[in-house]
Amino acid sequence: MPYSHLLRNLGKLTSVGVLAEGSPYAPSIVARLRSSEAIHDSKLHPVTLARTLKVYECGQVSAKSKSKWVPYMPVMEALTDALDISFKNVTATGKKYCVAVDIAGSVTLARLVGGHVTTEVSTTTAAMVTALAKAESEPLSLFTYHNKMLQPLNVVKDTTVEAVARMLTPNIEGGTDVTRPLQWAKEQRQRFDVFLVMTDCTTWATSGSGKAALREYNSALQLTDTKFIVCGMMTQGFKFATTTEPGMLDIVGFDERSPLIIHEFVTGYR
């Protein structure tokens, strides 16, 4: 069974007793989960492992799911190890990133169990941020933001996904102007190759304002190829990028395919 298929079936294998104390099959499955060779061959991004870990920890795929299970601790431990190993699968883009995470809603909505964030969306966001921090040679500039406020956060190469997730847990109701990171960078004369904004889709900005903000930033810093990516972490539809500005990209509903899309867009689909 391919590694990715194994990840998708962990809940089912647990619910039917294959992954349980005393099962003759459990040790070999747990060993495969943390196999460096299997993880490398799978080419899976840390976002996939982080999402798998959080869903498995919750004991069900969604609130409406009929399939439920009691997490088996050796699987939890193996998935944590697998997540750490999977960062070696991330290929650097060689770009300098400014990442801004909206703390005004669903991206950071979380409940804490034993001190750990249990929301899949916030963990996925944290995994993406951590992957960029570890892979890129240029230091990552990370901010949380709401309305006109930007709060810098310190993330370095050895910062863990859980540590980043804890940074993103504050929750403030309301909308957000996703162009604020570009405005700040222009005011501070900070040069970035990529602006990556991660939000719950509640934004006051329009495609026209985004296009204007990107062009004003490029003009002020005499740049020509800055990328402006807005990731709507939930699946509600929105339209922010405009077809007349090739440096803009919308991603609606962030999943395991999204990191590859971002990588190809940033590098010019090489």
Side-chain angles (χ1 to χ4, degrees), residues 182-240:
L182 281 88
Q183 297 167 12
W184 170 85
K186 184 182 71 172
E187 294 164 2
Q188 299 298 318
R189 309 293 298 179
Q190 295 290 318
R191 299 172 70 92
F192 294 101
D193 300 306
V194 184
F195 289 88
L196 176 60
V197 177
M198 309 180 86
T199 180
D200 67 347
C201 303
T202 306
T203 174
W204 298 335
T206 65
S207 58
S209 64
K211 177 181 177 180
L214 180 57
R215 290 192 173 182
E216 288 171 9
Y217 174 77
N218 278 334
S219 177
L221 279 82
Q222 298 183 328
L223 301 172
T224 59
D225 195 33
T226 307
K227 306 299 185 185
F228 183 19
I229 305 168
V230 177
C231 294
M233 303 302 290
M234 309 301 283
T235 57
Q236 296 96 325
F238 75 99
K239 184 178 181 181
F240 185 71

Side-chain angles (χ1 to χ4, degrees), residues 133-186:
K134 291 180 182 295
E136 301 297 340
S137 58
E138 290 280 0
L140 179 71
S141 293
L142 174 65
F143 299 86
T144 55
Y145 76 107
H146 172 66
N147 296 346
K148 299 295 182 181
M149 299 180 293
L150 285 173
Q151 177 65 45
L153 302 174
N154 184 34
V155 176
V156 293
K157 290 186 180 297
D158 61 353
T159 305
T160 65
V161 172
E162 286 188 351
V164 174
R166 286 194 292 270
M167 296 178 190
L168 307 180
T169 54
N171 177 44
I172 304 172
E173 297 298 329
T176 301
D177 180 359
V178 297
T179 66
R180 180 57 186 146
L182 281 88
Q183 297 167 12
W184 170 85
K186 184 182 71 172

Side-chain angles (χ1 to χ4, degrees), residues 96-150:
K96 186 174 183 180
Y97 285 77
C98 175
V99 181
V101 180
D102 175 13
I103 60 169
S106 302
V107 165
T108 57
L109 230 101
R111 58 187 178 88
L112 298 179
V113 176
H116 299 288
V117 179
T118 61
T119 298
E120 178 189 339
V121 173
S122 60
T123 303
T124 301
T125 306
M128 185 66 196
V129 169
T130 308
L132 289 173
K134 291 180 182 295
E136 301 297 340
S137 58
E138 290 280 0
L140 179 71
S141 293
L142 174 65
F143 299 86
T144 55
Y145 76 107
H146 172 66
N147 296 346
K148 299 295 182 181
M149 299 180 293
L150 285 173

Side-chain angles (χ1 to χ4, degrees), residues 33-46:
L33 284 174
R34 55 164 54 98
S35 164
S36 296
E37 182 178 0
I39 295 165
H40 178 268
D41 291 345
S42 74
K43 297 182 172 60
L44 292 177
H45 193 277

